[in-house]
Coordinates of all heavy atoms in Angstrom, one line a residue:
L1035 N 0.8 -1.2 0.0 CA 0.0 0.0 0.0 C 0.9 1.3 0.0 O 0.6 2.2 -0.7 CB -0.9 0.0 1.2 CG -2.0 -1.1 1.3 CD1 -2.9 -0.8 2.5 CD2 -2.7 -1.3 0.0
R1036 N 1.9 1.2 0.8 CA 2.8 2.4 0.8 C 3.5 2.6 -0.5 O 3.6 3.8 -1.0 CB 3.9 2.2 1.9 CG 3.3 2.4 3.3 CD 4.4 2.0 4.4 NE 4.0 2.4 5.7 CZ 4.5 2.0 6.8 NH1 5.5 1.1 6.8 NH2 4.1 2.5 8.0
D1037 N 3.9 1.5 -1.2 CA 4.5 1.6 -2.5 C 3.6 2.2 -3.5 O 4.0 2.7 -4.6 CB 5.1 0.3 -2.9 CG 6.3 -0.1 -2.0 OD1 6.8 0.7 -1.3 OD2 6.6 -1.3 -2.0
L1038 N 2.3 2.0 -3.4 CA 1.3 2.4 -4.4 C 0.9 3.8 -4.2 O 0.2 4.4 -5.1 CB 0.1 1.5 -4.3 CG 0.2 0.1 -4.9 CD1 -0.9 -0.8 -4.5 CD2 0.4 0.2 -6.4
R1039 N 1.3 4.5 -3.1 CA 0.9 5.9 -2.9 C 1.4 6.7 -4.1 O 2.6 6.7 -4.5 CB 1.6 6.4 -1.6 CG 1.0 6.0 -0.3 CD 1.9 6.3 0.9 NE 2.5 7.6 0.8 CZ 2.3 8.6 1.5 NH1 1.4 8.6 2.5 NH2 3.0 9.7 1.4
G1040 N 0.5 7.5 -4.7 CA 0.8 8.3 -5.8 C 0.9 7.7 -7.1 O 1.1 8.3 -8.2
K1041 N 0.8 6.3 -7.2 CA 0.9 5.6 -8.4 C -0.5 5.3 -9.0 O -0.7 5.4 -10.2 CB 1.7 4.3 -8.2 CG 3.1 4.6 -7.9 CD 3.9 3.3 -7.7 CE 5.3 3.5 -7.4 NZ 6.1 2.3 -7.1
R1042 N -1.4 4.9 -8.1 CA -2.8 4.7 -8.6 C -3.7 4.8 -7.4 O -3.3 4.5 -6.2 CB -3.0 3.4 -9.3 CG -3.0 2.1 -8.4 CD -3.5 0.9 -9.2 NE -3.4 -0.3 -8.5 CZ -4.5 -0.8 -7.7 NH1 -5.6 -0.1 -7.6 NH2 -4.3 -2.0 -7.1
Q1043 N -5.0 5.1 -7.6 CA -6.0 5.1 -6.5 C -6.4 3.7 -6.2 O -6.7 2.9 -7.1 CB -7.2 6.0 -6.9 CG -6.9 7.5 -7.0 CD -7.1 8.2 -5.6 OE1 -8.2 8.1 -5.1 NE2 -6.1 8.8 -5.1
L1044 N -6.6 3.4 -5.0 CA -7.1 2.1 -4.6 C -8.6 2.2 -4.2 O -9.0 3.3 -3.8 CB -6.3 1.5 -3.4 CG -5.1 0.7 -3.8 CD1 -4.0 1.6 -4.3 CD2 -4.5 0.0 -2.5
S1045 N -9.3 1.2 -4.3 CA -10.7 1.1 -4.0 C -11.0 0.4 -2.7 O -10.3 -0.6 -2.4 CB -11.5 0.5 -5.1 OG -11.0 -0.8 -5.4
M1046 N -11.9 0.9 -1.9 CA -12.2 0.3 -0.6 C -13.7 0.3 -0.4 O -14.4 1.3 -0.7 CB -11.5 1.0 0.5 CG -11.7 0.4 1.9 SD -10.6 1.1 3.1 CE -11.1 0.2 4.6
L1047 N -14.3 -0.8 0.1 CA -15.7 -0.8 0.5 C -15.9 -1.3 1.9 O -15.1 -2.1 2.4 CB -16.4 -1.8 -0.5 CG -16.7 -1.4 -1.9 CD1 -17.2 -2.6 -2.7 CD2 -17.6 -0.2 -2.0
R1048 N -17.0 -0.9 2.5 CA -17.4 -1.5 3.7 C -18.4 -2.6 3.3 O -19.5 -2.3 2.7 CB -18.2 -0.5 4.6 CG -18.9 -1.0 5.9 CD -17.9 -1.5 6.9 NE -18.6 -2.0 8.1 CZ -18.0 -2.4 9.2 NH1 -16.7 -2.6 9.2 NH2 -18.7 -2.8 10.3
V1049 N -18.0 -3.9 3.6 CA -18.9 -5.0 3.3 C -19.3 -5.7 4.6 O -18.5 -5.8 5.5 CB -18.2 -6.0 2.3 CG1 -17.9 -5.3 1.0 CG2 -16.9 -6.5 2.9
T1050 N -20.5 -6.2 4.6 CA -21.0 -6.7 5.9 C -21.6 -8.1 5.7 O -22.0 -8.7 6.7 CB -22.2 -5.8 6.5 OG1 -23.2 -5.7 5.5 CG2 -21.6 -4.5 6.8
T1051 N -21.5 -8.7 4.5 CA -22.0 -10.1 4.3 C -20.9 -10.8 3.5 O -20.1 -10.2 2.8 CB -23.3 -10.2 3.6 OG1 -23.2 -9.7 2.3 CG2 -24.4 -9.3 4.3
L1052 N -21.0 -12.1 3.6 CA -20.0 -12.9 2.8 C -20.3 -12.8 1.3 O -19.4 -12.8 0.4 CB -20.1 -14.4 3.2 CG -19.6 -14.8 4.5 CD1 -19.8 -16.2 4.9 CD2 -18.1 -14.5 4.6
E1053 N -21.6 -12.5 0.9 CA -22.0 -12.3 -0.5 C -21.3 -11.0 -1.0 O -20.8 -11.0 -2.1 CB -23.5 -12.3 -0.6 CG -24.2 -13.6 -0.4 CD -24.4 -13.9 1.1 OE1 -24.1 -13.1 1.9 OE2 -24.9 -15.1 1.4
E1054 N -21.4 -10.0 -0.2 CA -20.7 -8.7 -0.6 C -19.2 -8.9 -0.7 O -18.6 -8.4 -1.6 CB -21.1 -7.6 0.4 CG -22.6 -7.2 0.4 CD -22.9 -6.1 1.4 OE1 -22.1 -5.8 2.3 OE2 -24.0 -5.6 1.3
A1055 N -18.6 -9.6 0.3 CA -17.2 -9.8 0.3 C -16.8 -10.6 -1.0 O -15.8 -10.2 -1.6 CB -16.8 -10.6 1.5
E1056 N -17.5 -11.6 -1.4 CA -17.2 -12.4 -2.6 C -17.4 -11.5 -3.8 O -16.5 -11.6 -4.7 CB -18.1 -13.6 -2.7 CG -17.8 -14.5 -3.8 CD -18.7 -15.7 -3.9 OE1 -19.8 -15.7 -3.3 OE2 -18.3 -16.7 -4.5
A1057 N -18.4 -10.7 -3.8 CA -18.6 -9.8 -5.0 C -17.5 -8.8 -5.1 O -17.0 -8.5 -6.2 CB -19.9 -9.1 -4.9
A1058 N -17.0 -8.3 -3.9 CA -15.9 -7.3 -3.9 C -14.6 -8.0 -4.5 O -13.9 -7.4 -5.2 CB -15.7 -6.8 -2.5
E1059 N -14.4 -9.2 -4.0 CA -13.2 -10.0 -4.5 C -13.3 -10.2 -6.1 O -12.3 -9.9 -6.8 CB -13.2 -11.4 -3.9 CG -12.1 -12.3 -4.4 CD -10.7 -12.0 -3.9 OE1 -10.6 -11.4 -2.8 OE2 -9.8 -12.4 -4.5
C1060 N -14.5 -10.6 -6.5 CA -14.6 -10.8 -8.0 C -14.5 -9.5 -8.8 O -14.1 -9.5 -9.9 CB -16.0 -11.5 -8.3 SG -16.1 -13.2 -7.6
A1061 N -14.9 -8.4 -8.2 CA -14.9 -7.1 -8.9 C -13.5 -6.5 -8.8 O -13.3 -5.5 -9.5 CB -15.9 -6.2 -8.2
G1062 N -12.6 -7.0 -8.1 CA -11.2 -6.5 -8.0 C -11.1 -5.3 -7.0 O -10.1 -4.5 -7.2
I1063 N -12.0 -5.2 -6.1 CA -11.8 -4.2 -5.0 C -10.5 -4.5 -4.2 O -10.2 -5.6 -3.9 CB -13.1 -4.2 -4.1 CG1 -14.3 -3.9 -4.8 CG2 -12.9 -3.3 -2.9 CD1 -14.3 -2.5 -5.5
D1064 N -9.8 -3.4 -3.9 CA -8.5 -3.6 -3.3 C -8.6 -3.9 -1.8 O -7.8 -4.7 -1.2 CB -7.6 -2.4 -3.5 CG -7.3 -2.1 -4.9 OD1 -6.6 -3.0 -5.5 OD2 -7.7 -1.1 -5.5
M1065 N -9.5 -3.1 -1.1 CA -9.5 -3.1 0.4 C -11.0 -3.2 0.8 O -11.9 -2.8 0.1 CB -8.9 -1.9 0.9 CG -7.5 -1.6 0.4 SD -6.9 0.1 0.9 CE -6.8 -0.1 2.7
A1066 N -11.1 -3.7 2.0 CA -12.5 -3.8 2.6 C -12.4 -3.6 4.1 O -11.6 -4.2 4.8 CB -13.2 -5.1 2.2
S1067 N -13.4 -2.8 4.6 CA -13.7 -2.7 6.0 C -14.7 -3.8 6.3 O -15.7 -3.9 5.6 CB -14.2 -1.3 6.3 OG -14.8 -1.3 7.6
V1068 N -14.5 -4.6 7.3 CA -15.5 -5.7 7.6 C -15.8 -5.7 9.1 O -15.0 -5.3 10.0 CB -14.8 -7.0 7.2 CG1 -14.5 -7.0 5.7 CG2 -13.6 -7.4 8.0
P1069 N -17.0 -6.2 9.4 CA -17.3 -6.4 10.9 C -16.5 -7.5 11.5 O -16.0 -8.4 10.8 CB -18.8 -6.9 10.8 CG -19.3 -6.6 9.4 CD -18.1 -6.7 8.5
T1070 N -16.3 -7.4 12.8 CA -15.5 -8.3 13.5 C -15.9 -9.7 13.3 O -15.1 -10.6 13.0 CB -15.5 -8.0 15.0 OG1 -14.9 -6.7 15.2 CG2 -14.7 -9.0 15.9
A1071 N -17.2 -10.0 13.5 CA -17.8 -11.3 13.4 C -17.5 -12.0 12.0 O -17.1 -13.2 11.9 CB -19.3 -11.3 13.7
M1072 N -17.6 -11.2 11.0 CA -17.3 -11.8 9.6 C -15.8 -12.1 9.5 O -15.4 -13.1 8.8 CB -17.8 -10.8 8.6 CG -17.8 -11.5 7.2 SD -18.8 -10.5 6.0 CE -17.7 -9.2 5.6
M1073 N -14.9 -11.2 10.0 CA -13.5 -11.5 9.9 C -13.1 -12.8 10.6 O -12.2 -13.5 10.2 CB -12.7 -10.3 10.5 CG -11.2 -10.3 10.3 SD -10.7 -10.0 8.6 CE -10.1 -11.6 8.1
L1074 N -13.8 -13.1 11.7 CA -13.5 -14.3 12.5 C -14.1 -15.5 11.9 O -13.8 -16.6 12.3 CB -14.1 -14.1 13.9 CG -13.4 -13.0 14.8 CD1 -14.1 -12.8 16.1 CD2 -11.9 -13.3 15.0
D1075 N -15.0 -15.4 10.9 CA -15.6 -16.5 10.2 C -14.6 -17.1 9.2 O -14.2 -16.4 8.3 CB -16.9 -16.0 9.5 CG -17.7 -17.2 8.8 OD1 -17.1 -18.3 8.7 OD2 -18.8 -16.9 8.5
P1076 N -14.2 -18.3 9.3 CA -13.3 -18.9 8.4 C -13.7 -18.8 6.9 O -12.9 -18.8 6.0 CB -13.2 -20.4 8.8 CG -13.6 -20.4 10.3 CD -14.6 -19.3 10.4

């Protein structure tokens, strides 16, 4: 992330379901804010 500063803009979403997380992955989203419970879900 530090190396990408000034080279290109990164995209970030707040996702709250596994379906949203999977869609973000498929869409090429770089970063995601997630709820604690979802992060702890394998």
Side-chain angles (χ1 to χ4, degrees):
L1035 297 189
R1036 285 173 166 164
D1037 290 345
L1038 285 167
R1039 284 166 40 112
K1041 294 181 180 177
R1042 74 169 177 89
Q1043 290 271 300
L1044 275 68
S1045 55
M1046 182 172 181
L1047 287 173
R1048 171 71 174 180
V1049 297
T1050 57
T1051 68
L1052 290 175
E1053 291 80 7
E1054 290 178 351
E1056 182 178 22
E1059 173 78 22
C1060 293
I1063 297 298
D1064 296 297
M1065 306 170 67
S1067 165
V1068 301
T1070 297
M1072 193 164 77
M1073 187 73 246
L1074 295 174
D1075 184 345

